[in-house]
Amino acid sequence: MTRSLSKAYDKNKCIRLFSRHRGRTGPRILHPDRLDGLFYETGGLTGQRPSGCGKVLLISIPNQQRWMMKRIVALLLACAFVMGALAAPAMAAKTVVIKIAGMKPEGEPETIGMHKFGQYLKELSGGKYEVQVFPNSTLGKEDAYIASTRKGIIQMCATGTQTSALHPAMAMLETPMLYDSYDHARRAMEGETFKLINEGFTEKSGLRTLNAFPLGFRHFYTKKPLNGIDDVKGLRMRVPNIPLYTNFAKECGISGQPMPFAEVPSALDQGVIDGGDSPLSDIVALKMYEITPQITLTGHILVIHSLYINEKFYQSLPEQDKAWFNEAAKRAADDIWQMVEEGDAKAIETIKAAKGSVNTPSKEFHDYMVEAGKRSWKLFYDTVPNAKEILESAASYRDAK
């Protein structure tokens, strides 16, 4: 038989109901005052909560174990407390979003490097960190997003020698005619040379450099072939509006024409310039070989970028988290070094397939460029206190294994 307690019962009536069914082996209903304020239903007898009797807890308890009810209640409450305590940290642990800005579009080594960093950091941290990538100057030009990173508005950014405005030695990441190959440069960037370049940078800038990776060696693209030294002298070549580049062009006997890269195609069409220099990836991406089919593999400057992180944010991380950031940056750089070198080989094939000409300079031409590069280093001696030490360090990795 089922009884419904839909009416409101006062304290005494609830107790009398319990007493009335005391001799039965079936369901029991106890008033909340009898068991720590909880109202029980023990089986077939349905009980809706009487007014003032608290919440209903459903449980089936044999008649002979009624005396254990209080212990069971205490156990349930203890379990609930423990489960809540264990669940609290999981509920509190939220994904931390890391924002990183760059200047290059999707598909470029810099942007791929940022995405790679995000993938590795998420993997290493078990999903604790998620990296949001803002490429193609989405958060402003380089100066703007570098400033945002320094202020802590965003946590990270990717850039190159633009940071030399904060620390002149950073310009030496792209020292003309310093590296013979990607292997040579990588040994220097993963060794003492990179450390020497970064000495004092964090203290001055509030940024920490996490890695170094290449965008590619710069090569000349021109309308006419460059067969020798005399073909270079007097050329009107587009150069980035950076002292490092304009000074090197002058030492080569080139008439450097500073202008934004976006203006190069129209300047070539109008005859304002005879050519310029860029990594092979850029030459192929913009199909510069269609306007200037002569590509000369001078490799005079290796463009190197880095991932930077706000130092205060970095220092706020637990030691384990710092290790994750460092390892993710290292893995991303490793991928880009390999990708860029392989990309150069594919770019040369693309240029040749499009009827472009890819030429290797003669030894005389190469030696001329090397000497021009060394003369341009005077700029560093005048602005970087440890320039000599940096150059000697880079040279020591030339034949290192």
Side-chain angles (χ1 to χ4, degrees), residues 14 92 106 130 174 202 216 374:
C14 287
E106 294 288 357
E130 178 182 335
E174 298 181 9
T202 298
K374 289 181 178 179

Side-chain angles (χ1 to χ4, degrees), residues 297-352:
L297 301 178
T298 50
H300 46 277
I301 293 176
L302 177 59
V303 181
I304 292 180
H305 279 207
S306 299
L307 297 184
Y308 296 89
I309 187 168
N310 179 278
E311 176 66 4
K312 288 184 179 179
F313 172 74
Y314 180 83
Q315 292 301 338
S316 72
L317 298 173
E319 291 303 314
Q320 178 61 73
D321 296 36
K322 290 178 184 177
W324 291 335
F325 274 75
N326 295 340
E327 179 62 21
K330 179 185 181 301
R331 292 186 188 182
D334 288 344
D335 289 347
I336 300 305
W337 281 101
Q338 181 178 348
M339 185 196 79
V340 169
E341 189 166 6
E342 293 174 351
D344 278 5
K346 293 178 181 177
I348 290 173
E349 292 178 3
T350 300
I351 294 169
K352 289 181 176 179

Side-chain angles (χ1 to χ4, degrees), residues 11-30:
K11 177 178 177 181
N12 293 330
K13 289 182 179 179
C14 287
I15 295 174
R16 283 198 297 273
L17 179 60
F18 168 72
S19 300
R20 190 184 314 147
H21 293 275
R22 188 178 185 87
R24 300 177 66 171
T25 59
R28 296 290 181 266
I29 296 181
L30 306 180

Side-chain angles (χ1 to χ4, degrees), residues 96-109:
V96 179
V97 176
I98 304 297
K99 296 181 179 180
I100 181 170
M103 64 171 287
K104 296 291 185 178
E106 294 288 357
E108 292 279 344

Side-chain angles (χ1 to χ4, degrees), residues 166-180:
L166 306 171
H167 183 61
M170 302 305 281
M172 296 190 72
L173 289 168
E174 298 181 9
T175 301
M177 302 306 297
L178 185 60
Y179 303 115
D180 295 339

